[in-house]
Amino acid sequence: MQYTDLSTPIRTIMTPGPVEVDPRVLRAMSNPIVGQFDPSFTTIMNEVMEMLRSLFQTKNQWAFPVDGTSRSGIEAVLCSVIEPDDTVLVPIFGRFGYLLTEICERYGANVHTIECEWGTIFKQETIKQKIEEIKPKIVAVVHGETSTGCMQPIDQIGKTCRKHDSLLIVDAVASIGGVEIKVDEWMIDAMIGGTQKCISVPSGLAPITYNNRVEAVIQARKKVERGISTEEDQQLELARKHHFIKSNYFDISMLQDYWGPRRLNHHTEATSMLYALREGLRIILEEGLDQRFRRHLYHEQALITGLEAMGLTLFGEAQSKLPTVTCVEVPDGIDPEFVRSTLLDQFGIEIAKSFGPLEGKIWRIGTMGYSCRKENILFVLGALEAVLLQHGASIHAGKATVAALEYYTEQAATSVLSV
Amino acid sequence: MQYTDLSTPIRTIMTPGPVEVDPRVLRAMSNPIVGQFDPSFTTIMNEVMEMLRSLFQTKNQWAFPVDGTSRSGIEAVLCSVIEPDDTVLVPIFGRFGYLLTEICERYGANVHTIECEWGTIFKQETIKQKIEEIKPKIVAVVHGETSTGCMQPIDQIGKTCRKHDSLLIVDAVASIGGVEIKVDEWMIDAMIGGTQKCISVPSGLAPITYNNRVEAVIQARKKVERGISTEEDQQLELARKHHFIKSNYFDISMLQDYWGPRRLNHHTEATSMLYALREGLRIILEEGLDQRFRRHLYHEQALITGLEAMGLTLFGEAQSKLPTVTCVEVPDGIDPEFVRSTLLDQFGIEIAKSFGPLEGKIWRIGTMGYSCRKENILFVLGALEAVLLQHGASIHAGKATVAALEYYTEQAATSVLSV
């Protein structure tokens, strides 16, 4: 069989990821390969660590990507700290809360959950009370829940965790790079980001950061591979009182020896993906974090303005909304998948469905990273209106794009934001 | 701080990976992102599966990459089949045999090993006898051991495994795409490849394949994530008698639901890396497997001819040699790392050191994939000679490159190989 040249269509990707990628990032991946211990490559590794610290707003020494998709970072952090029968608290407000419980359970944790209705979030006070009550070793919480488009405030939880010597671990896959998160100020002990969402780098790396409290737990479980370990390593291992980490690939004590000054071989770092991450982070810092967060809010507002002008109903509490994902209820009598496939086939626009109890009930429109641009907002509003009208939905015709356009015009006249 | 544009040096990479990548593969990664369930992307997923089957010489339904570096594929396969206290046999003839034992131990296996001196391999009869003796559930063996440059023949082991209902799992990270491996004919139950070596695609994916015997073990441990599982899934799970798989990320029963017709969301496939893998595989199949394997042998021979003409001694038994890695003993009185850094700094050439007992004793020169080209062989021989002479090694001056050149000239006159 003959395979043709790779020829991918141009899509307008308005999902919660993977989203469009700046052409500069795509080009960066075309740089030739250099060896993993080539000084020119270890320089790139160090630069990426430095830039991740800026993005995460942390002074943590450890900030580097795990080589895998977002959930590889989540699993790496959780399995490196969880020992069998450790108590973990997971507040669940959507699908990805369940993912956290699932990973914790697989590694033998004693998982406690609190749940709230999808589309709502917890009062921080509720989470804090539960921490006071069960004094877990770990509190694992999703920050931006893409399945419901909700964002859980977490700035007050860290202090309670410190009081009970609990570790606060945050899944910021869907929010990092689009919404402010202050790792140090909010006393987050470990955090995991995703590349293919607001960072706008292709899927395949999971940037993480963790502080000294987490490092102490990990170091107590340290293991160095036979075949490359020294006698000193082996003696330290024998003296170890804690369970070793179940996974080799996700053993952060080993990743740390690779990313740190010891440069101990573990895996072979994903060269081209690291080029992409470096360029993606460089673009983020060039734009500036504040400006970037404002840009996400700015286009989110344009999208909401258009959707409401069309007469559509947003899903979820307005005050709990994740600025990078907008959930819209499917109007009565409309086949949600038929709308999605028409958008894709006719307009080249992708929007997302949801999961579990929300499947078939809502669409999810992402406004993330490089996809979060004026022309994309205007295009998706016009396209969605046309498709809904064609399918006989009772919406207000001719309103959505005009409303967004007026919003943009007004903002341009009054705002200092350069977007 | 200002970060400059990414500007990587051009290297001649003669290590056992990561190696140079065909410019066509580098360009493929610059294609724009498409969504993970976009039909244009699932078509690419299916094409990659089809091409992997050709490369692996298998009719297995399941052949797809795990999203991570090579050892992620090894861990995914091992942790998906190993249940606590399962007996695993690992024949060790270098560092990566230890890696297999280490992963198996972490997942609770009862690991039996046989070891032979680094630089030698086992008679297949020895491995077969051990299988007869301990009747392991799993035999995990490295095919090409890059740490010693040795290759373990494995074509006769599968039959004995079938007799005792053992699963034969092969780590072919360093050999796949450079050396013939016949998954079906050799009765290999699961195999793991690496992208950054003879496949010549950047590090970051680990192609695996497995047959129905392995699938049966995995399906008995099946789990579908809460939040996306159906009632039927949950009932099947309750009826399950086996331990679930410890890792979520590496749970092959879930990966299979993502790569198979059910297309159940697990991770977000690494878009650009999959573009690269598709192009890399396309180039391999365009060259033809037979031609590709001959090309690797052809340039290996040129390299050996040159090294021996220089008066250097190869490490390891000649009959056990892995054609894609050539190990050379460091001459007396020469600082091996000084030679390596001079090669890198002055010539832009990278060769490798080794690990553990061989560190400082040998250099390893890779001839893999796109790096395995005539000009690279000639360049590395000339450069190595110059550096060794400059450092006062007693070698034969002016012989190496000429010997290789003569080899190439003779071969060109007599051979049908187009290289």
Side-chain angles (χ1 to χ4, degrees):
Chain A
M1 178 168 174
Q2 280 292 322
Y3 295 94
T4 56
D5 268 338
L6 185 66
S7 169
T8 56
I10 303 291
R11 299 298 199 203
T12 299
I13 313 187
M14 302 302 280
T15 67
V19 303
E20 298 170 34
V21 167
D22 192 306
R24 289 176 286 176
V25 173
L26 294 176
R27 283 200 308 263
M29 287 187 285
S30 299
N31 275 270
I33 302 295
V34 292
Q36 62 174 329
F37 295 113
D38 192 314
S40 67
F41 191 72
T42 52
T43 299
I44 293 172
M45 290 173 77
N46 290 338
E47 285 175 342
V48 165
M49 289 178 81
E50 215 169 68
M51 290 194 257
L52 282 176
R53 284 183 205 110
S54 301
L55 173 65
F56 288 146
Q57 305 196 37
T58 183
K59 292 196 163 58
N60 287 343
Q61 176 181 5
W62 302 113
F64 54 80
V66 174
D67 283 18
T69 66
S70 308
R71 66 170 62 192
S72 76
I74 297 174
E75 185 159 331
V77 169
L78 288 175
C79 86
S80 292
V81 296
I82 293 174
E83 296 192 57
D85 297 323
D86 276 349
T87 302
V88 182
L89 172 64
V90 182
I92 299 176
F93 58 108
R95 174 188 168 190
F96 291 99
Y98 285 116
L99 174 61
L100 295 181
T101 65
E102 146 118 10
I103 296 172
C104 293
E105 279 166 6
R106 290 195 188 224
Y107 285 96
N110 177 11
V111 182
H112 293 248
T113 60
I114 47 176
E115 301 198 34
C116 65
E117 202 185 335
W118 288 32
T120 71
I121 54 166
F122 298 95
K123 290 202 175 92
Q124 293 195 67
E125 202 48 53
T126 309
I127 299 173
K128 286 160 69 176
Q129 277 167 13
K130 195 73 188 174
I131 297 169
E132 300 276 359
E133 184 193 322
I134 65 168
K135 300 178 182 54
K137 173 169 160 186
I138 294 152
V139 178
V141 61
V142 173
H143 183 234
E145 177 60 77
T146 49
S147 67
T148 63
C150 286
M151 181 166 72
Q152 174 64 52
I154 49 168
D155 58 319
Q156 299 302 318
I157 296 170
K159 200 183 275 182
T160 309
C161 286
R162 296 276 159 111
K163 202 171 120 195
H164 296 288
D165 207 24
S166 305
L167 296 174
L168 176 59
I169 298 178
V170 174
D171 166 356
V173 168
S175 49
I176 189 71
V179 174
E180 180 129 78
I181 309 175
K182 298 177 170 185
V183 167
D184 290 356
E185 197 177 311
W186 297 358
M187 298 187 190
I188 295 170
D189 295 299
M191 193 168 79
I192 305 99
T195 51
Q196 81 281 12
K197 298 178 188 274
C198 305
I199 295 179
S200 270
V201 162
S203 174
L205 291 178
I208 62 170
T209 187
Y210 53 92
N211 61 18
N212 294 342
R213 302 176 77 222
V214 169
E215 193 185 354
V217 173
I218 292 167
Q219 288 292 13
R221 310 178 70 187
K222 193 177 174 63
K223 211 170 171 348
V224 177
E225 261 172 59
R226 271 185 76 189
I228 58 168
S229 62
T230 63
E231 271 187 34
E232 197 192 335
D233 289 325
Q234 286 159 22
Q235 277 165 11
L236 283 170
E237 202 177 309
L238 286 172
R240 185 170 38 73
K241 289 196 187 64
H242 292 263
H243 294 270
F244 55 76
I245 294 164
K246 278 288 171 193
S247 168
N248 170 294
Y249 193 72
F250 292 138
D251 184 332
I252 290 186
S253 75
M254 293 172 119
L255 294 179
Q256 182 173 302
D257 275 344
Y258 177 49
W259 283 88
R262 199 170 169 191
R263 290 276 177 233
L264 208 53
N265 180 248
H266 177 254
H267 59 281
T268 299
E269 185 54 23
T271 316
S272 309
M273 283 302 303
L274 200 72
Y275 294 169
L277 181 57
R278 183 189 181 280
E279 185 65 6
L281 292 170
R282 197 171 78 94
I283 290 170
I284 289 175
L285 298 180
E286 183 187 271
E287 179 175 11
L289 292 182
D290 284 347
Q291 160 73 15
R292 192 174 180 92
F293 302 147
R294 278 201 303 270
R295 170 166 65 81
H296 279 84
L297 288 170
Y298 176 77
H299 294 299
E300 178 212 21
Q301 195 49 55
L303 177 66
I304 291 174
T305 303
L307 293 170
E308 289 181 336
M310 212 187 295
L312 294 175
T313 307
L314 299 194
F315 169 80
E317 302 171 329
Q319 72 276 18
S320 317
K321 192 178 175 307
L322 174 63
T324 57
V325 182
T326 299
C327 295
V328 191
E329 294 183 5
V330 176
D332 288 341
I334 295 295
D335 177 348
E337 284 306 289
F338 200 65
V339 170
R340 287 210 318 128
S341 61
T342 308
L343 282 172
L344 188 70
D345 296 343
Q346 303 298 331
F347 297 83
I349 294 175
E350 193 186 9
I351 66 171
K353 58 180 183 177
S354 191
F355 308 102
L358 294 179
E359 187 161 356
K361 302 236 164 55
I362 62 168
W363 292 299
R364 298 179 301 142
I365 304 178
T367 43
M368 290 179 163
Y370 190 67
S371 277
C372 182
R373 305 194 309 278
K374 190 191 290 181
E375 63 269 31
N376 280 9
I377 303 289
L378 295 171
F379 186 29
V380 76
L381 286 170
L384 183 60
E385 177 186 310
V387 176
L388 286 175
L389 287 175
Q390 194 193 25
H391 287 73
S394 67
I395 54 164
H396 310 313
K399 301 287 185 198
T401 312
V402 175
L405 205 53
E406 276 173 4
Y407 164 85
Y408 279 128
T409 313
E410 274 167 33
Q411 290 289 315
T414 62
S415 162
V416 291
L417 190 76
S418 58
V419 275
Chain B
M1 178 169 174
Q2 280 293 324
Y3 295 94
T4 57
D5 267 339
L6 184 65
S7 169
T8 57
I10 302 292
R11 299 299 199 202
T12 299
I13 312 186
M14 301 303 279
T15 68
V19 304
E20 299 170 33
V21 166
D22 192 306
R24 289 175 285 176
V25 173
L26 294 176
R27 283 201 308 265
M29 288 187 286
S30 299
N31 275 270
I33 302 296
V34 293
Q36 63 173 329
F37 295 114
D38 192 313
S40 67
F41 191 71
T42 52
T43 299
I44 293 172
M45 291 171 77
N46 289 338
E47 285 175 342
V48 165
M49 289 179 81
E50 215 170 69
M51 290 194 257
L52 281 175
R53 285 184 204 110
S54 301
L55 173 64
F56 288 147
Q57 305 195 38
T58 184
K59 293 196 162 58
N60 288 343
Q61 178 182 5
W62 302 113
F64 55 79
V66 174
D67 282 18
T69 66
S70 308
R71 66 170 62 192
S72 76
I74 298 174
E75 185 160 332
V77 169
L78 289 174
C79 86
S80 292
V81 296
I82 293 174
E83 296 192 57
D85 298 322
D86 276 349
T87 302
V88 182
L89 172 64
V90 182
I92 299 176
F93 58 108
R95 175 188 168 192
F96 291 98
Y98 285 115
L99 175 61
L100 296 181
T101 66
E102 147 118 10
I103 296 172
C104 293
E105 280 167 5
R106 289 194 190 224
Y107 285 96
N110 176 11
V111 181
H112 292 249
T113 60
I114 47 176
E115 299 198 35
C116 65
E117 202 185 336
W118 288 31
T120 72
I121 53 166
F122 298 94
K123 291 203 174 91
Q124 293 196 65
E125 202 48 52
T126 309
I127 299 173
K128 285 161 67 176
Q129 277 168 12
K130 195 74 188 173
I131 297 169
E132 300 276 0
E133 185 193 322
I134 64 169
K135 299 178 182 55
K137 174 169 158 186
I138 294 151
V139 178
V141 61
V142 173
H143 182 235
E145 176 60 78
T146 49
S147 67
T148 64
C150 286
M151 181 166 72
Q152 174 63 52
I154 48 167
D155 57 318
Q156 299 302 317
I157 296 170
K159 200 183 272 182
T160 309
C161 287
R162 297 276 158 112
K163 204 172 119 193
H164 295 288
D165 207 21
S166 305
L167 297 173
L168 176 59
I169 298 178
V170 175
D171 166 356
V173 168
S175 50
I176 190 72
V179 175
E180 180 129 79
I181 308 176
K182 298 178 168 182
V183 167
D184 290 356
E185 198 177 310
W186 296 359
M187 298 187 191
I188 296 169
D189 294 299
M191 193 167 80
I192 305 99
T195 50
Q196 81 282 12
K197 297 177 188 277
C198 304
I199 295 180
S200 270
V201 162
S203 174
L205 292 177
I208 62 171
T209 187
Y210 54 92
N211 61 18
N212 294 342
R213 302 177 77 222
V214 169
E215 192 184 355
V217 173
I218 292 167
Q219 288 292 13
R221 310 179 70 188
K222 193 177 175 64
K223 210 169 169 353
V224 177
E225 261 172 59
R226 271 185 75 190
I228 58 168
S229 62
T230 62
E231 272 188 34
E232 195 191 336
D233 290 325
Q234 286 160 22
Q235 277 165 12
L236 283 170
E237 202 177 309
L238 286 173
R240 185 171 38 73
K241 288 196 189 63
H242 291 265
H243 293 269
F244 56 76
I245 294 164
K246 278 288 170 192
S247 168
N248 169 294
Y249 193 73
F250 292 139
D251 184 331
I252 290 186
S253 76
M254 293 172 119
L255 293 180
Q256 181 174 302
D257 276 344
Y258 177 48
W259 283 88
R262 199 170 169 192
R263 291 274 177 235
L264 207 53
N265 181 247
H266 178 254
H267 59 282
T268 300
E269 185 55 21
T271 317
S272 309
M273 284 301 304
L274 199 72
Y275 293 169
L277 182 57
R278 182 189 181 280
E279 185 65 6
L281 292 171
R282 196 171 79 94
I283 289 170
I284 289 176
L285 299 180
E286 182 187 271
E287 179 174 11
L289 291 183
D290 285 347
Q291 160 72 15
R292 191 172 181 91
F293 301 148
R294 278 201 304 271
R295 170 166 65 81
H296 279 84
L297 288 170
Y298 176 76
H299 293 299
E300 178 212 21
Q301 195 50 54
L303 177 66
I304 290 174
T305 303
L307 292 170
E308 289 182 336
M310 212 188 296
L312 294 174
T313 307
L314 300 193
F315 169 81
E317 303 170 329
Q319 71 276 19
S320 317
K321 192 177 175 307
L322 174 62
T324 57
V325 181
T326 300
C327 294
V328 192
E329 294 183 5
V330 177
D332 287 341
I334 295 295
D335 177 348
E337 284 306 288
F338 200 66
V339 169
R340 288 211 315 129
S341 61
T342 309
L343 281 172
L344 188 70
D345 296 343
Q346 303 298 332
F347 297 83
I349 294 175
E350 193 186 9
I351 66 171
K353 59 180 182 177
S354 190
F355 308 100
L358 294 179
E359 187 160 357
K361 302 238 166 56
I362 62 169
W363 292 298
R364 299 179 301 143
I365 304 178
T367 43
M368 290 179 162
Y370 190 67
S371 278
C372 182
R373 305 194 309 276
K374 191 191 288 181
E375 63 269 31
N376 281 10
I377 302 290
L378 295 171
F379 186 28
V380 77
L381 285 171
L384 184 59
E385 177 186 311
V387 175
L388 286 174
L389 287 175
Q390 194 193 26
H391 287 74
S394 68
I395 54 165
H396 311 313
K399 300 287 185 196
T401 311
V402 176
L405 205 52
E406 275 172 5
Y407 164 85
Y408 279 128
T409 315
E410 273 167 34
Q411 290 288 316
T414 61
S415 161
V416 291
L417 190 75
S418 57
V419 273

